[in-house]
Amino acid sequence: MPVIANNVSLTAGSSSVNLFDNTNYQFINEATDLRINLASVSANDGVGPANLNYRFTINNTEFADAAIVPALVTGAPFGDNGMYRTNAVTATGQSRNRPLLVVTNGSSGTLVFKYYIFISQQA
């Protein structure tokens, strides 16, 4: 099954691009499962919007807005293992579904986050 994964560095006050853009999955079919895993490499105290927060939508359905990106825990491997899973959803639109995942750095310094997105087989 396809996976999109990377580390991203965000400068103070900036937002990432949509993490699905410029991939084969910027549009997904109906009944496609998505599992979103996020982690802040830096400490993230969760006092929003002071640190890393994210927004996740599919079409007009919002699953998270200004939600906290969990901090990476020493000794806990990062991946699609449940510990860093922030969302697990199935696209329900009848044809093309447009996922949007954007992370925002509300701090005064540069922060790094990791993402790992599992995408089920397209019907």
Side-chain angles (χ1 to χ4, degrees):
M1 300 300 156
V3 167
I4 304 170
N6 208 345
N7 294 342
V8 177
S9 178
L10 288 177
T11 58
S14 66
S15 295
S16 69
V17 298
N18 178 5
L19 300 177
F20 288 93
D21 279 354
N22 300 314
T23 72
N24 292 333
Y25 308 102
Q26 56 189 351
F27 292 98
I28 56 175
N29 296 333
E30 179 181 12
T32 301
D33 294 325
L34 295 176
R35 293 195 304 259
I36 310 298
N37 299 273
L38 297 167
S40 170
V41 174
S42 311
N44 198 24
D45 64 16
V47 180
N51 290 307
L52 288 173
N53 297 288
Y54 75 99
R55 179 172 187 238
F56 175 54
T57 67
I58 298 178
N59 298 335
N60 292 328
T61 304
E62 190 165 68
F63 297 98
D65 186 24
I68 299 162
V69 175
L72 191 64
V73 177
T74 302
F78 180 75
D80 189 30
N81 58 10
M83 182 164 184
Y84 301 102
R85 185 167 303 147
T86 55
N87 294 89
V89 299
T90 301
T92 59
Q94 290 188 335
S95 55
R96 288 170 38 123
N97 291 276
R98 178 85 165 114
L100 171 86
L101 178 60
V102 175
V103 177
T104 301
N105 177 1
S107 77
S108 60
T110 299
L111 297 176
V112 177
F113 73 93
K114 298 173 167 280
Y115 66 93
Y116 184 106
I117 303 168
F118 168 88
I119 303 152
S120 69
Q121 186 171 347
Q122 301 281 304

